[in-house]
């Protein structure tokens, strides 16, 4: 079949959706389409289907022209009267949050402009008729209004990835806006108690969390962990356990407790820990476990007192800690996980000597508590690399 070429002025996605979702036709490019009919006179059946499709395209053309006449800025101005969802304010409220999040994610001018216009098509008549095309329609309206291509592309990409294995946004502004949209959806939903339960996830929060993880890893976007409050952070980072298929879950759980500043670093640290040969991981793991077990056994001093360090081996541990702690912190900040692990590994032999030469549970309570504090400091320093107790040895 075919349809009047005047409808080619509509966005291609609108034409294809009218064909595929409404009528189950096969787009053939241009103004042509194919369909399958089980019987009937071909010419009669063809004309009937052409009439049906043209009727739908005629309706779409009418609403499209009304939207374009209003303009995307005017549509954005109507968002204050459209509820995002119950108790979550309007789309105008969401737009303000998106702009703030994009700014905190380091988005540039194109990202901020896209955030301001991202939800404008929620006020468009065409989106009411074709709800699956939200974002794409807004992008077309931005293009027709003369906004830069980077702005239009970001608006079109804001919902990507829209499935666990779906494509990521192809532009930097698109990735920033997509991350902001997912952070807002997760944060607002969790704050209102709309958490997934069992197989139920009506707001698509698992999909949003996986998308955020993929933007941070595959997309290379820096997403500060501070943007994800408590439960949201746990929920999002937990998705790495299924997403990082080459990393045992124990290493992911260990990395989630690390002092790394952004979401992507959690994944990269988990991968780095999992890739360590046993001979390099063992000294760090042993030091962490032994320090944790003994240090938590009895009451420890609130703060280490250097004047109570009398044995050479315990002084050596304290000196190693003083040098190592800033080194580990700096390496983690730079995402140089190999350097961070190498620094931590140097504690292994020093701590081994400490346990051989020093009686931790000394009779003098002040000395004993100080040595226990030293062990807890070892634990806390190594914990910057993650909760290594999660890793079975």
């Amino acid at each position: 079949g075919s349809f009047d070429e005047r409808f080619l002025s509509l966005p291609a996605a609108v034409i294809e959706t009218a064909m595929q979702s409404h009528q189950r036709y096969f787009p053939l490019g241009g103004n042509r389409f194919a369909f399958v009919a089980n019987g009937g006179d071909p010419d009669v059946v063809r004309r009937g289907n052409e009439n049906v499709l043209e009727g739908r395209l005629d309706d779409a053309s009418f609403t499209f022209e009304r939207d374009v006449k209003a303009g995307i800025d005017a549509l954005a101005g109507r968002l204050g009267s459209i509820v995002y969802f119950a108790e979550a304010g309007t789309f105008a409220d969401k737009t303000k949050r998106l702009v703030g999040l994009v700014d905190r994610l380091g988005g540039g001018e194109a990202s901020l402009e896209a955030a301001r216009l991202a939800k404008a098509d929620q006020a468009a008549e065409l989106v009411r008729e074709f709800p699956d095309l939200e974002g794409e329609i807004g992008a077309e309206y931005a293009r027709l209004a003369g906004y830069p291509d980077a702005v239009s592309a970001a608006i079109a990409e804001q919902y990507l990835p829209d499935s666990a294995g779906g494509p990521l946004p192809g532009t930097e502004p698109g990735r920033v806006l997509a991350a902001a949209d997912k952070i807002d959806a997760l944060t607002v939903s969790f704050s209102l108690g709309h958490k997934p339960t069992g197989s139920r996830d009506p707001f698509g929060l698992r999909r949003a969390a996986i998308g955020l993880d993929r933007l941070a890893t595959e997309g290379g976007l820096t997403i500060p962990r501070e943007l994800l409050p408590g439960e949201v952070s746990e929920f999002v980072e937990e998705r790495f356990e299924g997403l990082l298929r080459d990393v045992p879950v124990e290493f992911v759980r260990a990395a989630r407790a690390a002092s790394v500043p952004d979401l992507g670093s959690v994944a990269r640290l988990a991968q780095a820990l999992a890739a360590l040969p046993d001979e390099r991981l063992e000294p760090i793991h042993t030091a962490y476990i032994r320090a944790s077990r003994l240090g938590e056994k009895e009451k420890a001093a609130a703060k280490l007192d250097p004047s109570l360090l009398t044995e050479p081996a315990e002084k050596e541990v304290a000196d190693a800690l003083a040098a190592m702690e800033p080194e580990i912190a700096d390496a983690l900040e730079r995402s140089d996980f190999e350097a961070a692990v190498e620094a931590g590994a140097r504690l292994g032999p020093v701590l081994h000597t400490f346990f051989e030469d020093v009686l931790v549970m000394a009779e003098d309570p002040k000395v004993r508590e100080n040595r226990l504090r030293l062990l807890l400091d070892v634990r806390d320093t190594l914990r910057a690399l993650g909760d290594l107790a999660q890793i079975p040895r």
Side-chain angles (χ1 to χ4, degrees), residues 42-263:
D43 290 335
V44 174
V45 173
R46 183 184 297 108
R47 281 196 301 274
N49 281 275
E50 288 174 341
N51 289 337
V52 169
L53 180 58
E54 289 207 356
R56 292 194 177 277
L57 294 178
D58 206 34
D59 291 342
S61 184
F62 176 75
T63 54
F64 175 69
E65 289 170 6
R66 282 170 59 96
D67 287 342
V68 171
K69 184 178 180 180
I72 192 168
D73 288 284
L75 294 175
R78 300 173 187 172
L79 294 177
S81 61
I82 304 173
V83 174
Y84 172 40
F85 64 77
E87 299 180 75
T90 66
F91 273 99
D93 297 321
K94 183 176 178 71
T95 296
K96 290 178 184 176
R97 295 195 299 268
L98 285 181
V99 170
L101 284 167
V102 163
D103 186 50
R104 294 180 70 185
L105 286 166
E109 187 177 338
S111 301
L112 291 166
E113 194 72 277
R116 184 180 69 81
L117 300 171
K119 304 304 175 184
D121 64 3
Q122 297 297 321
E125 293 183 43
L126 199 56
V127 164
R128 294 189 202 122
E129 191 174 341
F130 298 89
D132 290 344
L133 296 183
E134 59 182 3
E136 290 187 62
I137 289 174
E140 180 67 10
Y141 291 172
R143 185 186 68 79
L144 291 171
Y147 282 98
D149 289 343
V151 173
S152 298
I155 294 171
E157 295 173 336
Q158 65 181 292
Y159 299 108
L160 298 180
D162 54 8
S163 64
L168 294 173
T171 67
E172 181 68 13
R175 289 189 286 274
V176 172
L177 180 56
D181 189 62
K182 289 167 176 54
I183 292 170
D184 181 70
L186 286 160
T187 303
V188 170
S189 296
F190 268 69
S191 70
L192 296 175
H194 301 312
K195 306 169 191 175
T197 54
S199 61
R200 293 188 70 257
D201 187 11
F203 297 100
L205 300 181
R206 291 190 183 95
R207 183 174 66 246
I210 291 171
L212 206 55
D213 287 342
R214 290 186 60 208
L215 286 165
T217 52
E218 299 167 48
L221 186 66
T222 299
I223 302 174
R225 296 172 85 184
E226 65 185 23
L227 294 183
L228 304 169
E231 283 186 299
V232 176
S233 178
E234 290 179 17
F235 181 76
V236 170
E237 293 177 11
E238 191 177 52
R239 304 305 110 193
F240 278 134
E241 294 181 14
L243 193 62
L244 301 176
R245 293 176 183 171
D246 58 334
V247 179
V249 295
E250 296 87 358
F251 288 87
V252 177
R253 290 168 185 166
R256 285 171 54 196
S259 303
V260 291
D262 63 272
L263 196 56

